[in-house]
């Protein structure tokens, strides 16, 4: 559509991008806003986003509040970000995007970078041709720590934060990074020690801070109204994915959609590497759990009900299992299949058997995919 874009810029809108207030500049009027993005000559990233929001409202006829992005998915690495991204991408009212984690909002950006983000990563032309009826999506796992940047881009943003039991999430991220050494992002302890030994060094690992959710949720509630923030437990999402999906669609203002149970199973697979146990002393496990204690109390005070109760129950069950093994723990990660059954393991031999069975399954699956053999 060709629009007269006079008076599309806001005045005196505070922005952490601009380190002050945005300028009330107006783009050149009467242009085809789908073919030629009209907000290229502005000074700051906040200016560009504000300009884009008002153009989208004009094209859309104010049928809905449009922002860029409309929906944010976060909560930390290894908390189901990929699953939620795939589930929302399957919805007919969500624009298809090639890039899941843009990392755009995790640092300060220039106006030129904002233009590139909107036109390429969020596919401005595609959104515009739909008259902005399609919702845009951003799913950077580490973006949960930057609510002010998201607010500057879209004050009407809907944010979905899924939180995993903090020690489990930290260990899972450490394991993930251990297998990504070729990308050069291994934690420092992994350059010196084995993965198991790094468990004792978690407090110096950057992912340890990411698992302090109370401080993160508090920042979001300072930046957005509570009704624009959905906070859920990862363990609940894994146990009841269809229910979680329906709740997420309702929160995001999307129509009900049923992709089928097989879709959820497919998106929720591939965690066999997390089914094996980790070794740690009882004192080491208790120390790490205690480090999360005050933050979990803060999170509980911010949420309705006893949000962290399942996590505390998980810690108690683990400690009971540890004490039954002469002060040696076999740590299983929460949110993995048949977690409760794993806590009934009683001997080191049985723990070893569980780990070997998991490794054998992974090997058999890998060989099967390569066509090495068909039967075992």
């Amino acid at each position: 559509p060709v629009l007269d874009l006079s008076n599309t810029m806001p005045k005196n809108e505070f922005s952490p991008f601009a380190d002050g207030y945005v300028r009330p500049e107006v783009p050149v009027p009467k242009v085809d806003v789908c073919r030629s993005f009209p907000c290229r000559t502005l000074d700051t990233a906040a200016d560009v986003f504000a300009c884009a929001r008002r153009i989208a409202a004009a094209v859309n006829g104010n049928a809905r509040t449009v922002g860029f992005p409309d929906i944010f998915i976060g909560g930390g690495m290894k908390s189901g970000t990929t699953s939620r991204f795939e589930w929302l991408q399957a919805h007919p009212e969500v624009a298809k995007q090639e890039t899941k984690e843009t990392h755009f909002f995790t640092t300060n950006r220039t106006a030129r970078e904002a233009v590139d983000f909107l036109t390429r990563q969020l596919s401005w032309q595609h959104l515009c041709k739909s008259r902005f009826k399609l919702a845009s999506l951003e799913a950077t796992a580490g973006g949960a720590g930057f609510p002010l940047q998201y607010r500057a881009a879209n004050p009407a943003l809907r944010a979905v934060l899924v939180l995993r039991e903090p020690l489990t999430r930290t260990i899972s991220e450490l394991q993930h990074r251990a297998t990504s050494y070729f990308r050069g992002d291994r934690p420092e302890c992994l350059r010196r020690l084995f993965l198991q030994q790094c468990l004792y060094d978690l407090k110096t690992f950057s992912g340890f801070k990411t698992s302090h959710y109370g401080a993160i949720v508090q920042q979001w509630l300072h930046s957005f109204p509570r009704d624009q923030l959905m906070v859920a437990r990862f363990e609940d999402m894994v146990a009841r994915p269809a229910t979680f999906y329906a709740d997420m669609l309702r929160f995001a203002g999307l129509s009900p959609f049923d992709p089928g149970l097989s879709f959820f199973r497919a998106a929720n697979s591939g965690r066999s590497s997390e089914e094996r146990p980790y070794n740690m002393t009882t004192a080491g496990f208790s120390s790490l759990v205690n480090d999360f204690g005050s933050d979990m109390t803060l999170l509980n005070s911010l949420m309705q009900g006893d949000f962290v109760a399942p996590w505390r129950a998980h810690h108690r069950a683990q400690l009971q299992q540890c004490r039954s093994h002469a002060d040696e723990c076999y740590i299983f990660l929460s949110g993995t299949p048949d977690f409760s059954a794993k806590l009934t393991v009683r001997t080191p031999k049985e723990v070893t058997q569980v780990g070997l069975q998991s490794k054998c399954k992974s090997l058999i699956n890998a060989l099967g995919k390569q066509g090495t053999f068909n039967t075992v």
Side-chain angles (χ1 to χ4, degrees):
V2 177
L3 299 179
D4 183 344
L5 300 180
S6 301
N7 300 317
T8 57
M9 287 300 301
K11 296 183 180 180
N12 298 330
E13 181 176 329
F14 180 74
S15 165
F17 281 123
D19 195 22
Y21 292 89
V22 302
R23 295 179 58 186
E25 290 191 34
V26 179
V28 177
K30 295 185 179 179
V31 298
D32 185 334
V33 295
C34 290
R35 295 186 61 184
S36 178
F37 184 67
C39 306
R40 296 178 181 273
T41 61
L42 303 178
D43 291 339
T44 70
D47 292 345
V48 173
F49 279 107
C51 171
R53 290 198 305 271
R54 280 154 181 78
I55 291 172
V59 173
N60 187 263
N62 290 307
R64 72 177 184 89
T65 302
V66 181
F68 305 98
D70 290 297
I71 307 166
F72 164 66
I73 291 174
M77 187 182 293
K78 309 305 293 179
S79 296
T81 308
T82 300
S83 293
R84 283 174 282 152
F85 178 78
E86 292 177 357
W87 296 351
L88 285 176
Q89 284 279 278
H91 196 283
E93 295 173 8
V94 175
K96 303 299 180 288
Q97 295 167 214
E98 294 183 4
T99 304
K100 176 176 77 78
E101 301 207 26
T102 67
H103 295 280
F104 179 85
F105 296 98
T106 58
T107 187
N108 292 327
R109 298 293 185 177
T110 65
R112 179 175 294 181
E113 288 174 318
V115 169
D116 184 72
F117 173 77
L118 287 164
T119 56
R120 296 187 181 186
Q121 293 180 317
L122 287 193
S123 303
W124 170 268
Q125 191 173 42
H126 178 58
L127 290 170
C128 187
K129 288 182 177 180
S130 76
R131 292 192 171 270
F132 298 99
K133 293 179 181 179
L134 295 177
S136 58
L137 178 64
E138 209 276 335
T140 299
F146 302 89
L148 280 176
Q149 278 85 336
Y150 284 96
R151 178 170 177 78
N154 180 17
L157 178 79
R158 296 276 172 167
V160 181
L161 303 183
V162 170
L163 310 180
R164 189 175 185 179
E165 186 275 305
L167 182 54
T168 287
R169 197 215 64 79
T170 307
I171 294 174
S172 186
E173 179 179 346
L174 185 64
Q175 175 181 269
H176 175 76
R177 290 183 181 276
T179 60
S180 305
Y181 66 91
F182 51 86
R183 293 204 299 259
D185 61 351
R186 292 168 67 193
E188 182 58 30
C189 78
L190 290 174
R191 300 180 187 277
R192 300 177 284 105
L193 305 171
F194 291 110
L195 177 63
Q196 300 287 4
Q197 293 172 291
C198 283
L199 294 177
Y200 295 99
D201 201 22
L202 282 178
K203 296 176 188 178
T204 63
F205 172 45
S206 61
F208 192 76
K209 182 179 179 181
T210 307
S211 297
H212 284 74
Y213 308 128
I216 293 173
V217 171
Q218 190 173 52
Q219 291 177 20
W220 279 89
L221 289 174
H222 285 165
S223 305
F224 290 91
R226 185 177 289 271
D227 62 0
Q228 288 177 223
L229 183 64
M230 174 182 175
V231 182
R233 286 182 294 262
F234 170 83
E235 293 80 7
D236 295 339
M237 184 188 80
V238 171
R240 295 174 293 278
T243 299
F244 170 85
Y245 186 56
D247 291 342
M248 183 169 61
L249 295 184
R250 186 163 47 251
F251 166 78
L254 300 172
S255 301
F257 178 68
D258 183 8
L261 288 177
S262 60
F263 171 79
F264 293 115
R265 283 195 293 269
N268 207 27
S269 62
R271 292 195 310 276
S272 59
S273 61
E274 294 190 355
E275 294 180 16
R276 64 183 178 83
Y278 292 82
N279 295 80
M280 190 184 303
T281 64
T282 301
F285 178 76
S286 298
S287 174
L288 291 170
V289 168
N290 289 338
D291 282 330
F292 290 114
S294 59
D295 186 77
M296 288 170 60
T297 300
L298 172 61
L299 179 61
N300 241 13
S301 69
L302 298 171
M303 303 300 298
Q304 298 177 348
D306 194 353
F307 186 85
V308 303
W311 298 345
R312 285 178 170 150
H314 164 67
H315 295 158
R316 288 193 298 270
Q318 283 281 190
L319 281 171
Q320 182 179 2
Q321 186 248 33
C322 294
R323 289 165 182 152
S324 69
H325 289 101
D327 200 38
E328 184 174 7
C329 293
Y330 304 102
I331 307 300
F332 289 98
L333 305 189
S334 69
T336 54
D338 303 321
F339 167 71
S340 298
K342 291 170 185 171
L343 287 182
T344 64
V345 174
R346 292 300 178 191
T347 68
K349 180 179 179 181
E350 289 176 317
V351 172
T352 302
Q353 288 174 341
V354 171
L356 287 174
Q357 288 170 359
S358 175
K359 291 179 180 179
C360 285
K361 286 181 182 178
S362 300
L363 178 60
I364 290 169
N365 289 336
L367 293 174
K369 289 179 181 178
Q370 296 172 10
T372 307
F373 57 86
N374 295 323
T375 59
V376 178

